[in-house]
Amino acid sequence: MFTMDLFSGIGRLGVAFSGGVDSSVLLALAVRELGPDRVVAILGVSPSLAADEREGAHAVARFIGVAVAEVNTFEGERDAYRANGPDRCFHCKDELFTRIADEVVTAYRLDAVAYGENADDARRADRPGGRAAAAHRVLRPLADAGLDKAAVRRLAREFGLPCADKPAAPCLASRIPHFEPVSPEKLAQVERAEAALRGLGFGDLRVRHHGDVARIELPPDDLERAVRDPLRSRLRAAVLAAGFRFAALDVAGVQSGAFTLPLVRRG
């Protein structure tokens, strides 16, 4: 069993929690070291969080045995967030950590707040949320311990977490091209389309919002079956029902950082 002193000197810890693999492993490690009564999972709720992701986060927290504190975030009221530049994640995380500081830290008598950045993400140029974490003195125990994505996945399986094999699920705003404004209507379209595709049996996927066009990213194996009827027709109908006029399959497959990485590399 993995052991490491990641939380030395902390009496009560809040974990910024999404139900994804990274934050779930961090939460499980914190509970193992501090005990469930000294750890709180903090879930930010806004239109950028899909309903099934919210439900899944609660399920993982129940499995780990820790309480969830939901905090409403209002990044959509920030002009810089809606403008959707490459630093959008900074404004989102800054809103989250501000709300946590204002509403959760005192209420739960927390000594510190941590989030689940891993060592791989800490090295990526398209993760401006890390600047917000640093500004708010939010801890990043996984990255500081040198735990990369592969190590975090191994721990998730070792702990038997229900999200151990869950695909990465960035927030819904990541589906909108930079400099195209983020709006609740676009986020809802993407959420409806992705939920419908999951209902058709697709797991790892993205629906990128290009106005009337939904650009669908799927793993290679899923691409092959997505173009065969009757699934092809059902996929198209599901996307059109979400409010798009056209459904396009991207043969490049699922692309992490598809909108942000080209911009930060160019800069």
Side-chain angles (χ1 to χ4, degrees), residues 15-183:
V15 174
F17 178 65
S18 67
V21 177
D22 294 332
S23 65
S24 297
V25 166
L26 176 60
L27 186 66
L29 287 169
V31 168
R32 278 167 165 75
E33 187 162 330
L34 301 176
D37 295 335
R38 295 167 58 194
V39 179
V40 178
I42 307 169
L43 178 64
V45 178
S46 76
S48 68
L49 176 69
D52 58 354
E53 291 293 322
R54 183 179 182 181
E55 294 169 6
H58 278 272
V60 174
R62 282 194 300 271
F63 178 87
I64 294 172
V66 70
V68 176
E70 289 195 345
V71 57
N72 291 316
T73 62
F74 302 92
E75 61 271 16
E77 297 179 5
R78 295 186 175 209
D79 291 340
Y81 173 86
R82 290 197 304 271
N84 196 20
D87 63 346
R88 181 198 64 243
C89 287
F90 169 84
H91 301 289
C92 181
K93 285 292 191 294
D94 185 62
E95 169 71 10
L96 172 64
F97 296 140
T98 298
R99 295 288 171 180
I100 289 173
D102 291 347
E103 301 176 19
V104 182
V105 170
T106 299
Y108 287 87
R109 298 175 288 111
L110 302 179
D111 298 305
V113 175
Y115 83 123
E117 182 179 60
N118 63 56
D120 286 331
D121 284 345
R123 290 189 287 267
R124 286 183 58 158
D126 62 329
R127 292 293 189 270
R131 289 194 290 111
H136 288 269
R137 299 183 179 179
V138 174
L139 307 179
R140 49 172 208 168
L142 301 181
D144 289 343
L147 296 173
D148 59 14
K149 289 181 184 293
V152 171
R153 287 278 181 187
R154 285 195 298 271
L155 283 173
R157 295 184 182 112
E158 183 178 335
F159 295 160
L161 297 181
C163 61
D165 295 310
K166 181 180 183 289
C171 79
L172 296 173
S174 68
R175 316 300 198 266
I176 301 171
H178 287 305
F179 308 113
E180 294 292 330
V182 175
S183 70

Side-chain angles (χ1 to χ4, degrees), residues 191-264:
E191 180 176 5
R192 288 195 299 269
E194 293 192 351
L197 295 187
R198 280 190 289 272
L200 294 177
F202 297 105
D204 192 7
L205 67 102
R206 307 280 189 277
V207 173
R208 307 288 186 182
H209 194 296
H210 295 274
D212 287 342
V213 179
R215 177 167 60 84
I216 303 161
E217 298 178 2
L218 299 170
D221 290 346
D222 282 341
L223 279 173
E224 292 182 16
R225 65 189 188 93
V227 297
R228 300 193 189 106
D229 275 327
L231 190 54
R232 179 177 66 89
S233 298
R234 295 172 65 192
L235 181 152
R236 179 177 180 274
V239 169
L240 268 57
F244 294 97
R245 290 185 61 198
F246 306 100
L249 284 172
D250 191 329
V251 296
V254 177
Q255 304 155 67
S256 175
F259 290 138
T260 307
L261 274 173
L263 295 177
V264 297

